Coordinates of all heavy atoms in Angstrom, one line a residue:
S1373 N -62.6 93.4 15.6 CA -62.5 94.1 14.3 C -63.6 95.1 14.2 O -64.7 95.0 14.7 CB -62.6 93.0 13.2 OG -61.6 92.0 13.3
Y1374 N -63.3 96.1 13.4 CA -64.3 97.3 13.2 C -65.5 96.7 12.6 O -65.6 96.2 11.5 CB -63.6 98.3 12.4 CG -64.5 99.5 12.1 CD1 -65.1 100.2 13.1 CD2 -64.6 100.0 10.8 CE1 -65.9 101.3 12.9 CE2 -65.4 101.1 10.5 CZ -66.0 101.7 11.5 OH -66.8 102.9 11.3
N1375 N -66.7 96.8 13.3 CA -67.9 96.3 12.9 C -69.1 97.1 13.5 O -69.7 96.7 14.5 CB -68.0 94.8 13.2 CG -69.2 94.1 12.5 OD1 -70.1 94.8 12.1 ND2 -69.1 92.8 12.4
P1376 N -69.3 98.3 13.0 CA -70.4 99.1 13.6 C -71.8 98.5 13.6 O -72.6 98.8 14.5 CB -70.4 100.4 12.8 CG -69.7 100.1 11.5 CD -68.7 99.0 11.9
E1377 N -72.1 97.7 12.6 CA -73.4 97.1 12.6 C -73.6 96.0 13.7 O -74.6 96.0 14.3 CB -73.7 96.4 11.2 CG -73.8 97.4 10.0 CD -74.8 98.5 10.3 OE1 -75.9 98.1 10.8 OE2 -74.5 99.7 10.1
K1378 N -72.5 95.2 13.9 CA -72.6 94.3 15.0 C -72.6 95.0 16.3 O -73.3 94.6 17.3 CB -71.3 93.4 15.0 CG -71.2 92.4 16.1 CD -72.3 91.4 16.1 CE -72.1 90.3 17.2 NZ -73.2 89.4 17.3
A1379 N -71.9 96.2 16.4 CA -72.0 97.0 17.6 C -73.4 97.4 17.9 O -73.9 97.3 19.1 CB -71.1 98.2 17.5
K1380 N -74.1 97.9 16.9 CA -75.5 98.3 17.1 C -76.4 97.1 17.6 O -77.3 97.3 18.4 CB -76.1 98.8 15.8 CG -75.5 100.2 15.4 CD -76.0 100.6 14.0 CE -75.4 101.9 13.6 NZ -75.9 102.3 12.2
E1381 N -76.1 95.9 17.0 CA -76.9 94.7 17.4 C -76.7 94.4 18.9 O -77.6 94.0 19.6 CB -76.5 93.5 16.5 CG -77.0 93.6 15.1 CD -76.4 92.5 14.3 OE1 -75.9 91.5 14.9 OE2 -76.5 92.5 13.0
L1382 N -75.4 94.5 19.3 CA -75.1 94.2 20.7 C -75.8 95.2 21.7 O -76.3 94.7 22.7 CB -73.6 94.2 20.9 CG -72.8 93.0 20.4 CD1 -71.3 93.2 20.4 CD2 -73.2 91.7 21.2
L1383 N -75.8 96.4 21.3 CA -76.5 97.4 22.1 C -77.9 97.1 22.2 O -78.5 97.2 23.3 CB -76.2 98.8 21.6 CG -74.9 99.4 21.7 CD1 -74.8 100.8 21.1 CD2 -74.4 99.5 23.1
K1384 N -78.5 96.7 21.1 CA -79.9 96.3 21.1 C -80.2 95.1 22.0 O -81.2 95.0 22.7 CB -80.4 96.1 19.7 CG -81.9 95.8 19.5 CD -82.3 95.7 18.1 CE -83.8 95.5 17.9 NZ -84.2 95.4 16.5
E1385 N -79.3 94.1 21.9 CA -79.4 92.9 22.7 C -79.4 93.2 24.2 O -80.0 92.6 25.0 CB -78.3 91.9 22.4 CG -78.5 91.2 21.0 CD -77.3 90.3 20.7 OE1 -76.6 89.9 21.6 OE2 -77.2 89.9 19.5
A1386 N -78.5 94.2 24.5 CA -78.3 94.6 25.9 C -79.5 95.5 26.4 O -79.5 95.9 27.6 CB -77.0 95.3 26.1
G1387 N -80.4 95.8 25.5 CA -81.6 96.6 25.9 C -81.2 98.1 26.1 O -82.0 98.8 26.7
V1388 N -80.2 98.5 25.4 CA -79.7 99.9 25.5 C -80.4 100.7 24.4 O -80.2 100.3 23.2 CB -78.2 100.0 25.4 CG1 -77.8 101.5 25.4 CG2 -77.6 99.3 26.6
K1389 N -81.1 101.7 24.7 CA -81.7 102.6 23.7 C -80.7 103.7 23.4 O -80.3 104.4 24.3 CB -83.0 103.1 24.2 CG -84.1 102.0 24.4 CD -85.4 102.5 24.8 CE -86.4 101.4 24.9 NZ -87.8 101.9 25.4
T1390 N -80.4 103.9 22.2 CA -79.6 105.0 21.8 C -80.4 106.3 21.6 O -81.6 106.2 21.2 CB -78.8 104.7 20.5 OG1 -79.7 104.3 19.5 CG2 -77.8 103.6 20.7
P1391 N -79.9 107.5 21.7 CA -78.5 107.7 22.1 C -78.2 107.5 23.6 O -79.1 107.8 24.4 CB -78.3 109.2 21.6 CG -79.6 109.8 21.9 CD -80.6 108.8 21.5
I1392 N -77.0 107.0 23.9 CA -76.6 106.9 25.3 C -75.5 107.9 25.4 O -74.8 108.2 24.5 CB -76.1 105.5 25.7 CG1 -75.0 105.0 24.8 CG2 -77.3 104.5 25.6 CD1 -74.3 103.7 25.2
Q1393 N -75.3 108.4 26.6 CA -74.3 109.4 26.9 C -73.1 108.7 27.5 O -73.1 107.9 28.4 CB -74.8 110.4 28.0 CG -76.2 111.0 27.7 CD -76.1 112.0 26.6 OE1 -75.1 112.7 26.4 NE2 -77.2 112.1 25.8
V1394 N -71.9 109.0 26.9 CA -70.7 108.5 27.3 C -69.6 109.6 27.5 O -69.4 110.3 26.5 CB -70.1 107.4 26.3 CG1 -68.8 106.9 26.9 CG2 -71.1 106.3 26.2
T1395 N -69.1 109.7 28.7 CA -68.0 110.6 28.9 C -66.7 109.8 28.9 O -66.5 108.9 29.7 CB -68.1 111.3 30.3 OG1 -69.3 112.1 30.3 CG2 -66.9 112.3 30.5
L1396 N -65.8 110.2 28.0 CA -64.5 109.5 27.8 C -63.4 110.4 28.3 O -63.2 111.5 27.7 CB -64.3 109.1 26.4 CG -62.9 108.5 26.0 CD1 -62.8 107.1 26.7 CD2 -62.8 108.3 24.5
M1397 N -62.7 110.0 29.4 CA -61.6 110.8 29.9 C -60.3 110.3 29.4 O -60.1 109.1 29.3 CB -61.6 110.8 31.5 CG -60.6 111.7 32.1 SD -60.7 111.9 33.9 CE -60.3 110.3 34.5
S1398 N -59.4 111.2 29.1 CA -58.1 110.8 28.5 C -57.0 111.8 29.0 O -57.3 113.0 29.3 CB -58.1 110.8 27.0 OG -56.8 110.6 26.5
S1399 N -55.8 111.3 29.1 CA -54.7 112.3 29.3 C -54.4 113.0 28.0 O -54.8 112.7 26.9 CB -53.4 111.5 29.8 OG -53.0 110.7 28.8
N1400 N -53.6 114.1 28.2 CA -53.4 115.0 27.0 C -52.1 114.7 26.3 O -51.5 115.7 25.7 CB -53.6 116.5 27.4 CG -52.4 116.9 28.4 OD1 -51.7 116.1 29.0 ND2 -52.2 118.2 28.5
I1401 N -51.6 113.5 26.4 CA -50.4 113.2 25.6 C -50.7 113.4 24.2 O -51.8 113.2 23.7 CB -50.0 111.7 25.9 CG1 -49.7 111.4 27.3 CG2 -48.9 111.3 25.0 CD1 -49.6 110.0 27.7
S1402 N -49.8 113.9 23.4 CA -50.0 114.4 22.1 C -50.8 113.4 21.2 O -51.8 113.7 20.6 CB -48.7 114.8 21.4 OG -47.8 113.7 21.3
W1403 N -50.3 112.2 21.2 CA -51.0 111.2 20.3 C -52.3 110.7 20.8 O -53.2 110.3 20.0 CB -50.0 110.1 19.9 CG -49.5 109.2 21.1 CD1 -48.4 109.5 21.8 CD2 -50.1 108.1 21.6 NE1 -48.3 108.5 22.8 CE2 -49.3 107.7 22.7 CE3 -51.3 107.3 21.3 CZ2 -49.6 106.5 23.5 CZ3 -51.6 106.2 22.1 CH2 -50.8 105.8 23.2
T1404 N -52.5 110.6 22.1 CA -53.8 110.2 22.7 C -54.9 111.2 22.4 O -56.0 110.9 22.2 CB -53.7 109.9 24.2 OG1 -53.3 111.1 24.9 CG2 -52.7 108.8 24.5
K1405 N -54.5 112.5 22.4 CA -55.5 113.6 22.1 C -56.0 113.4 20.7 O -57.2 113.7 20.4 CB -54.8 114.9 22.2 CG -54.5 115.4 23.6 CD -54.2 116.9 23.7 CE -52.9 117.2 22.9 NZ -52.6 118.6 23.1
V1406 N -55.2 112.9 19.8 CA -55.7 112.6 18.4 C -56.5 111.3 18.4 O -57.5 111.2 17.8 CB -54.5 112.5 17.5 CG1 -55.0 112.1 16.0 CG2 -53.7 113.8 17.5
A1407 N -56.0 110.3 19.1 CA -56.6 109.0 19.1 C -58.1 109.0 19.6 O -59.0 108.4 19.0 CB -55.8 108.0 19.9
V1408 N -58.3 109.8 20.6 CA -59.7 109.8 21.2 C -60.7 110.4 20.2 O -61.9 110.1 20.3 CB -59.7 110.6 22.6 CG1 -59.0 109.8 23.6 CG2 -59.2 112.0 22.5
N1409 N -60.3 111.2 19.3 CA -61.2 111.8 18.3 C -61.7 110.7 17.4 O -62.9 110.7 17.0 CB -60.5 112.9 17.5 CG -60.3 114.1 18.3 OD1 -61.1 114.6 19.1 ND2 -59.1 114.7 18.1

């Protein structure tokens, strides 16, 4: 379930310091182009 605060806690537990760089690759199917945004 959508929970950005819990997400931040998990990153902290994992020892990850933000900001982290993430490259997300996707195909250009019409609806996936919208979804990745």
Side-chain angles (χ1 to χ4, degrees):
S1373 301
Y1374 179 50
N1375 192 337
E1377 293 307 315
K1378 177 63 175 176
K1380 292 177 184 177
E1381 290 176 13
L1382 284 169
L1383 289 179
K1384 187 175 181 180
E1385 287 177 18
V1388 175
K1389 295 182 179 179
T1390 54
I1392 59 173
Q1393 308 288 327
V1394 179
T1395 299
L1396 175 63
M1397 184 169 70
S1398 172
S1399 63
N1400 67 343
I1401 300 170
S1402 59
W1403 59 270
T1404 59
K1405 288 193 296 184
V1406 178
V1408 292
N1409 288 319

